[in-house]
Amino acid sequence: IFGLSSVAQVVLGRGNFGQHLSINLGFGIGVTLGIHAAGGISGAHLNAAITLTHCILGNLPWRKLPAYLIGQFLGSFTAAATVFGLYYDTLYNYTKGNFTVTGPTATASIFSTYPAPCISLLEGFFTEFMATAMLLLGILVIHDEKNNGALKGTQALLTGILVLGIGLGMGMNTGYAINPSRDLPPRIFTAIAGWGMDVFTAGHYWWWVPVTAPILGSLAGVLIHKLFIDFHNQPVLESGNEKGQPVVETS
């Protein structure tokens, strides 16, 4: 809701009520609050690519995957419907009732991501792949207690800042979906709510890229962390001494 409503305000306000930074901040704040809300319940699985990665790595039982994906889908779909209702009058006035995916009054991008006009499908795929790899790498670093992990209680805030940073640096090409659960359910909602099947055909059938590229990018982020950081971590000593220091028993 925070993310999509920030996009709606920028688009429908014609730049008078926020800029690209507003969208970055909106999603960063939304992620932070989402982690606080769901962290103790489900481990804050807000991203289907991350959930699937945890299943592949054996950190999450496969039997839980359907429930997690359904929860993510319903949450994202409901958020799109909520923002649609919140801005319906403004949306109708902006488009004169003609909801389009492309053109001077295009509004489908409020809810889902679409590539910039100059971006090829390959470039867009690589952007989503790399952005999600950085997301996973950042999350693993934040929670890496064997290395230089974040202070307890700050992980949610730092993850929100991480999403903010990805948007600031890698948001221009594709709108940085970096999450199938963030992109596909709102796209389905827009298809139902008046934008039609153009939401799936626009951008050379772009819709499948935000679904597949984040999954591969997520796995790549885990691999990078494993090869270049985790394998080189010193074990955490039970004595509480600084890692790498010998344990000295005293009486």
Side-chain angles (χ1 to χ4, degrees):
I1 290 178
F2 277 97
L4 299 185
S5 61
S6 66
V7 182
Q9 186 162 285
V10 170
V11 173
L12 301 179
R14 302 179 189 274
N16 295 318
F17 294 90
Q19 301 293 331
H20 185 68
L21 178 60
S22 306
I23 299 171
N24 302 148
L25 290 170
F27 276 105
I29 293 169
V31 167
T32 299
L33 294 178
I35 293 172
H36 278 296
I41 307 300
S42 67
H45 280 252
L46 312 178
N47 187 326
I50 297 177
T51 300
L52 182 59
T53 298
H54 278 294
C55 288
I56 293 172
L57 295 176
N59 298 330
L60 184 72
W62 283 97
R63 59 182 173 80
K64 291 188 176 183
L65 181 63
Y68 277 57
L69 296 185
I70 291 171
Q72 292 163 7
F73 182 97
L74 292 176
S76 190
F77 188 92
T78 305
T82 301
V83 172
F84 180 77
L86 184 67
Y87 280 103
Y88 180 77
D89 287 345
T90 308
L91 186 65
Y92 197 90
N93 179 69
Y94 181 85
T95 63
K96 308 305 179 188
N98 183 27
F99 298 162
T100 59
V101 179
T102 58
T105 58
T107 47
S109 61
I110 291 174
F111 301 93
S112 295
T113 64
Y114 295 87
C118 61
I119 298 300
S120 67
L121 207 59
L122 180 61
E123 177 86 354
F125 190 98
F126 183 65
T127 299
E128 288 294 324
F129 174 87
M130 284 304 304
T132 313
M134 292 300 99
L135 174 66
L136 256 291
L137 181 59
I139 290 173
L140 292 173
V141 168
I142 288 169
H143 291 85
D144 190 351
E145 295 182 356
K146 292 187 294 183
N147 186 16
N148 190 24
L151 295 176
K152 185 177 180 180
T154 65
Q155 294 93 337
L157 176 61
L158 290 173
T159 304
I161 294 173
L162 170 63
V163 173
L164 168 63
I166 291 172
L168 289 173
M170 290 175 270
M172 183 177 71
N173 286 352
T174 63
Y176 72 111
I178 60 176
N179 181 358
S181 306
R182 169 264 179 274
D183 196 82
L184 184 58
R187 194 180 300 275
I188 294 174
F189 172 80
T190 52
I192 298 171
W195 282 265
M197 296 306 293
D198 285 351
V199 299
F200 293 104
T201 60
H204 303 289
Y205 295 87
W206 166 257
W207 72 271
W208 65 271
V209 175
V211 175
T212 57
I215 294 174
L216 297 176
S218 177
L219 294 171
V222 171
L223 180 62
I224 293 169
H225 178 265
K226 184 67 70 175
L227 290 177
F228 297 103
I229 298 175
D230 192 45
F231 283 161
H232 309 282
N233 275 335
Q234 298 293 330
V236 177
L237 300 177
E238 293 182 0
S239 65
N241 289 2
E242 292 184 8
K243 60 184 183 179
Q245 298 297 321
V247 178
V248 179
E249 294 184 2
T250 59
S251 59

